[in-house]
Amino acid sequence: MAEINSKQPENVPGAYYVDTNCVPCNDCIHEAPNNLKYNSDESHVYVFKQPESPDEIKAMKNAMSVCPVEAIGNDGT
Ligand code: SF4
């Protein structure tokens, strides 16, 4: 389960976030390329845009399910 108190600093405000456990393995970006990307030095992934459409929300949920270290969270806000 992602840690809400360990969010990557680049995440945009909103329900979804990536925490500091990100490896990064790149799997989630394949699922939600409209919302997730690498930071500048490619040391981790972060949420650059919160999902808005039903398709983007579905893609983000898929990204959460494929993350091997459960680094993607949804705090429900
Ligand atoms: S799937 Fe998880 S560990 Fe892999 S890049 Fe995405 S957030 Fe990081």
Side-chain angles (χ1 to χ4, degrees):
M1 187 173 178
E3 294 289 335
I4 195 169
N5 294 321
S6 301
K7 291 182 180 181
Q8 298 289 0
E10 299 95 339
N11 291 302
V12 294
Y16 290 90
Y17 61 93
V18 177
D19 75 11
T20 55
N21 288 318
C22 176
V23 178
C25 69
N26 197 41
D27 289 353
C28 61
I29 296 178
H30 289 298
E31 299 294 336
N34 293 339
N35 306 97
L36 295 163
K37 68 179 180 182
Y38 280 111
N39 69 327
S40 57
D41 68 3
E42 299 190 349
S43 62
H44 58 264
V45 165
Y46 68 101
V47 178
F48 71 92
K49 186 178 86 68
Q50 293 290 333
E52 296 169 357
S53 68
D55 282 349
E56 285 185 349
I57 291 169
K58 183 178 179 185
M60 187 63 91
K61 288 179 177 175
N62 288 340
M64 290 176 72
S65 70
V66 300
C67 180
V69 294
E70 298 185 354
I72 305 173
N74 175 4
D75 68 8
T77 58

